[in-house]
Amino acid sequence: MSGAVLVAIAASIGNLLQGWDNATIAGAVLYIKKEFSLETQPLIEGLIVAMSLIGATVITTFSGAVADAVGRRPLLIASSVLYFVSGLVMLWAPNVYVLLLARLIDGFGIGLAVTLVPLYISETAPTDIRGLLNTLPQFSGSGGMFLSYCMVFTMSLMPQPDWRIMLGVLSIPSLMYFALTVFYLPESPRWLVSKGRMAEAKRVLQGLRGREDVSGEMALLVEGLGVGKDTHFEEYIIGPDDELADDGLAPDEEKLKLYGAEEGVSWIARPVRGGGQSALGSALGLMSRHGSMVSQGKSLVDPLVTLFGSVHEKMPEVMGSMRSTLFPNFGSMFSVAEQQQAKADWDAESHRDDEDYASDHGADDIEDSLNSPLISRQATSVEGKEIAAPHGSIMGGVGRSSSMQGGEAVSSMGIGGGWQLAWKWTEREGADGQKEGGFQRIYLHEEGVSGDRRGSILSMPGGDIPPGGEYIQAAALVSQPALYSKDLIEQQLAGPAMVHPSEAVAKGTKWAELFEPGVKHALFVGIGLQILQQFAGINGVLYYTPQILEQAGVGVLLSNIGLSSSSASILISALTTLLMLPSIGIAMRLMDMSGRRFLLLSTIPVLIVALAVLVLVNVLDVGTMVHAALSTISVIVYFCFFVMGFGPIPNILCAEIFPTSVRGICIAICALTFWIGDIIVTYTLPVMLNAIGLAGVFGIYAIVCILAFVFVYMKVPETKGMPLEVITEFFSVGAKQGKEATD
């Protein structure tokens, strides 16, 4: 995964430049005021700082639609160019008006970076470490602030500090960022697939993953072009052939036969009916009861949160060891890593002859054609229909599993996070009495079975499961494929997600998709998080940190060693920023282990306590020393826990919960909310201070944090370890079923 990690580090330099700029202008404005005599012109002074916010807000309005149209990488390149140009103009700036123009250009670069970097990292990162890599922008931003404060502090010790050099230095790291975006960063593979550039997407994925076989993920990206229709959940019990009994299970004609990577190894999967229900199935049942619960006032948590949470329920110990003991050859179904080592031997029923395919397409044609199939057209006849088997060209690789439903072929591939992507062919009798067939897409996920349910889910002839019974339980999210088309079926191609005709590809943002129930639900979550983050108090605490630490005696200590008030203020800010870095490192470690929701619910209560202490010490007369000590501790605790949760997670979630076709425009809407909230909070803070005082301001922030905790608990799902396409599918099915239940 080193390729994806290095790409994420390089992309996050855009946030380092944002942090660098924020810290630099905070120090430089002290000297700008003196040169241009702005002490009597607070409006101009405020605009010098605010122009970057205005620029970021303006550019964010357009960035989403443009990113969906021309790609993520061009906008990252544009961001680096804007940073570089703004640095040069600030270095020159003969008067305050040119400086304001430079700050506006700088804001354009900041807006693009803040919007596009989380989106880009989410689309290139592996599922299992996506949270860690998407915390890098927060770490880079804070690191940039610390480095900038160190530079500004050093320059403040000079006899005549030059603010132009302070601001102009931005051009140096931005030039490095430009080189990385042009010569190193690839385009997002998800965006490439959305434009039909399959061969290029495959090469990018191979570089990011460090392996040749990217078949499962390529198929997943195609399916991500749209959210499936007629989605429903099914449950399967999977075990060695002849291991499963029929009691409580579906009839034999409904069984799925799964083939492993080694010849002669196979398993049987049967849909579970009635008694046994997985955690995912139980959560879905809650959806159907949601309407009555709302009407009775009993529903507190969004059923969608429960639905997501069911995926992350801890598996029983016996199930956790099953992958390595009971099913040593089952890697093609539930282990991506083992796919790379498995042999290309197939069971006789699933074996295909590659020579026929080679006669249809040359290797070069396959790589270059926009219409090239992801999986070979080569097929086996199944009741008059041709169903394709996986092929080794674009989707090539070994160790997949193929399955049969009533004798019909189904292929399956690992897509990360313990999920499998598969397709099956189904037939039904139409209104005219004729049989109608079509593909169905399956997202398959292994689940644990608690001890008290094992007997009810699966029984053997003569009693319960014998000791050492080899089986697993899997939940399946079944829906119509994203690119389903009757024309594809009539052409007897490999299946909707297995071919990629360029005319079927989304040509740009489909604005109507913004009003889909799942997208609207995701926008509600994303916008809500951004608003609550801005009003949770970070700007107020940052603004008053120097004052609070000065009261603690830090300013006096620094002045005693010969530092001016300006240098002391800058050094205090640098030390405060330095304290954030270890906390962000802890968050990076926990983001994919404990999860986004867990970190929010764990850190927000600490923010509430820290703000409450700041309110009390400003209301009560606790003495100078106690006031200084409690204020200092509260500020440090607030910063450390904010950057562990509420700092990075809203941007991480906003980059995960939207479909590929509208991800750019949706994350831009959330980013626009962020910037508007930033402007409102920043410029209402002085008014609020005059009206209700420091204790009143911190009290309002504490109330907002309480509301944020309630919002997260009720509305924000856990997305760790889930492929982006599965996340959006969950939002879609959850929102639709929730709406049906309340109608």
Side-chain angles (χ1 to χ4, degrees), residues 229-250:
K229 299 179 180 179
D230 304 323
T231 305
H232 62 281
F233 285 93
E234 294 180 0
E235 288 183 72
Y236 296 100
I237 296 296
I238 304 174
D241 205 347
D242 298 328
E243 177 77 16
L244 301 181
D246 291 335
D247 295 348
L249 302 176

Side-chain angles (χ1 to χ4, degrees), residues 546-560:
Q547 174 185 322
I548 292 171
L549 295 182
E550 176 118 5
Q551 292 174 348
V554 177
V556 175
L557 177 63
L558 294 176
S559 64
N560 288 338

Side-chain angles (χ1 to χ4, degrees), residues 599-614:
L599 281 175
L600 285 174
L601 293 177
S602 301
T603 56
I604 292 177
V606 181
L607 303 184
I608 296 171
V609 172
L611 290 168
V613 172
L614 288 172

Side-chain angles (χ1 to χ4, degrees), residues 12 150 167 176 181 272 278 298 501 553 572 591 603 636 667 686 740:
S12 67
C150 291
L167 297 175
M176 180 181 69
T181 55
V272 178
S278 65
K298 297 180 180 178
I572 288 172
M591 198 64 69
T603 56
I636 293 173
I667 199 172
E740 291 172 0

Side-chain angles (χ1 to χ4, degrees), residues 420-490:
Q420 292 283 319
L421 172 61
W423 299 269
K424 66 179 180 179
W425 176 266
T426 58
E427 287 188 344
R428 64 182 180 181
E429 191 171 299
D432 56 359
Q434 299 293 321
K435 281 189 175 182
E436 296 178 350
F439 285 97
Q440 285 189 312
R441 175 184 68 205
I442 308 174
Y443 289 126
L444 198 65
H445 187 263
E446 180 182 2
E447 293 202 343
V449 184
S450 60
D452 59 353
R453 297 210 318 259
R454 295 181 72 195
S456 64
I457 293 178
L458 181 66
S459 59
M460 300 294 293
D464 288 337
I465 305 168
E470 301 181 357
Y471 75 95
I472 63 171
Q473 182 182 8
L477 189 62
V478 184
S479 63
Q480 180 178 303
L483 297 184
Y484 177 80
S485 169
K486 288 186 177 181
D487 293 337
L488 299 179
I489 304 302
E490 292 171 0

Side-chain angles (χ1 to χ4, degrees), residues 32 58 64 84 89 143 153 183 204 232 281 284 346 400 429 536 571 680 712:
I32 294 173
V58 171
F84 179 72
V89 177
F153 172 72
F183 300 109
V204 169
H232 62 281
L284 186 66
W346 293 76
R400 308 178 186 86
E429 191 171 299
L571 183 58
I680 292 174
V712 171

Side-chain angles (χ1 to χ4, degrees), residues 56-68:
T57 304
V58 171
I59 199 71
T60 300
T61 306
F62 310 101
S63 62
V66 175
D68 285 336

